[in-house]
Amino acid sequence: MRQPLVVANWKMNMTSPEASVYCQRLRTLMQETTTPAEVVVCPPYTAIEVVRAAFVGSDLAVGAQNFYPAPKGAYTGEVSISMLKALDCRYVIVGHSERRLRFGETAETIGEKVKVAVEHGITPILCVGETMSERSLGMTEKVIGQQLLTCLKHLQSDQLAQVVVAYEPLWAIGTGRSATAKDAAQLATYARQRLQRLMNGDTDAMRILYGGSVAPDNIAEFAAADGVDGVLVGGASLDPDKFQAIARAYEVK
Ligand code: PGA
């Protein structure tokens, strides 16, 4: 049985004082829920410590949005995996489409990050997704399959269970236009089967999330989707009330 996972990706939002106010509110709100989901907040680097401290003694976890895969050294402006580990980050988002498109991150670099994160015991949340034009050409599965294989190629098959995959169609991110739960479920099944076949790995234990315009008014369908083990939430995660409503959708009725 895979535990549902609900992840906030704050992107480049929230100063540390704002993060502190948010976390107090979220902690209070989470006391009202019996959600079985693991709930994680990934703030910008500058607010990780504030979020970590605010969550001590709760079930909430902190994660990061990125890191650089070298151990340490002359990489001005970068942050290493050990630095995240020292801040109790349990997860790190890797290969988000904004990083691929705006910062030129290649599948090669992403693959390296996945490996380094796994080796350090931090779970990478690997983002994959197709563009609208790839989708209209019927290439969604091919594109996702390729992204998964290139980004996971450095792992041993028994390490697959230590990775979370987030299916995030590019056209659904920040647009208010989500994929359907059926699309997400189909893609999750496809990804699981393909990785099982090609890497001969334990994909039954691997969690697959959906991301892209998830909000309180559409979460029920994703929470009920077969094989979709949770969500990665951008815009709606900036409001603690909305984010809690999303986590609550996993409560057993
Ligand atoms: P969104 O972003 O929820 O604002 O669409 C999701 C993401 O980019 O992870």
Side-chain angles (χ1 to χ4, degrees):
M1 188 60 189
R2 297 181 293 262
Q3 184 185 15
L5 179 61
V6 173
V7 184
N9 174 10
W10 283 359
K11 309 192 180 185
M12 198 173 72
N13 294 290
M14 301 264 190
T15 61
S16 35
E18 287 165 351
S20 174
V21 172
Y22 176 107
C23 289
Q24 274 169 27
R25 173 79 184 149
L26 184 63
R27 247 191 108 141
T28 308
L29 289 169
M30 289 307 290
Q31 282 162 6
E32 296 164 9
T33 123
T34 55
T35 184
E38 184 178 5
V39 177
V40 183
V41 172
C42 299
Y45 294 135
T46 46
I48 292 179
E49 170 56 21
V50 166
V51 174
R52 184 202 66 76
F55 288 172
V56 168
S58 77
D59 291 334
L60 296 156
V62 67
Q65 298 173 21
N66 185 32
F67 71 100
Y68 190 72
K72 60 168 148 181
Y75 301 96
T76 302
E78 295 298 335
V79 164
S80 73
I81 199 79
S82 314
M83 293 171 184
L84 299 183
K85 187 129 184 131
L87 289 172
D88 296 341
C89 286
R90 207 181 286 169
Y91 292 87
V92 63
I93 298 170
V94 170
H96 191 281
S97 60
E98 285 152 17
R99 296 221 51 89
R100 296 183 198 242
L101 296 172
R102 292 176 183 262
F103 302 99
E105 255 183 43
T106 61
E108 201 49 52
T109 312
I110 297 163
E112 218 178 306
K113 289 184 182 189
V114 168
K115 176 171 170 272
V116 171
V118 166
E119 281 169 358
H120 285 79
I122 296 189
T123 304
I125 301 173
L126 169 64
C127 302
V128 293
E130 83 285 5
T131 62
M132 186 40 99
S133 63
E134 287 163 343
R135 183 178 186 81
S136 30
L137 290 169
M139 289 166 62
T140 300
E141 291 191 349
K142 187 161 179 254
V143 168
I144 306 297
Q146 195 57 45
Q147 289 176 359
L148 286 172
L149 290 184
T150 46
C151 297
L152 296 173
K153 70 178 178 193
H154 296 304
L155 295 190
Q156 307 296 321
S157 51
D158 62 352
Q159 291 176 314
L160 275 183
Q162 297 167 51
V163 175
V164 172
V165 169
Y167 169 52
E168 296 211 309
L170 271 60
W171 46 271
I173 295 179
T175 57
R177 182 180 165 210
S178 69
T180 62
K182 191 165 161 245
D183 286 338
Q186 266 173 6
L187 205 286
T189 305
Y190 166 78
R192 224 180 282 284
Q193 285 172 353
R194 185 154 167 84
L195 287 173
Q196 180 119 48
R197 217 170 338 114
L198 287 161
M199 294 185 66
N200 198 21
D202 178 11
T203 54
D204 283 346
M206 186 180 82
R207 286 181 291 181
I208 302 185
L209 315 182
Y210 167 76
S213 297
V214 172
D217 62 1
N218 62 18
I219 183 62
E221 51 169 328
F222 291 111
D226 253 1
V228 179
D229 307 308
V231 283
L232 179 55
V233 191
S237 77
L238 296 173
D239 175 336
D241 290 71
K242 287 187 185 165
F243 189 53
Q244 186 251 19
I246 290 169
R248 283 198 93 152
Y250 290 85
E251 281 174 2
V252 181
K253 303 268 160 35

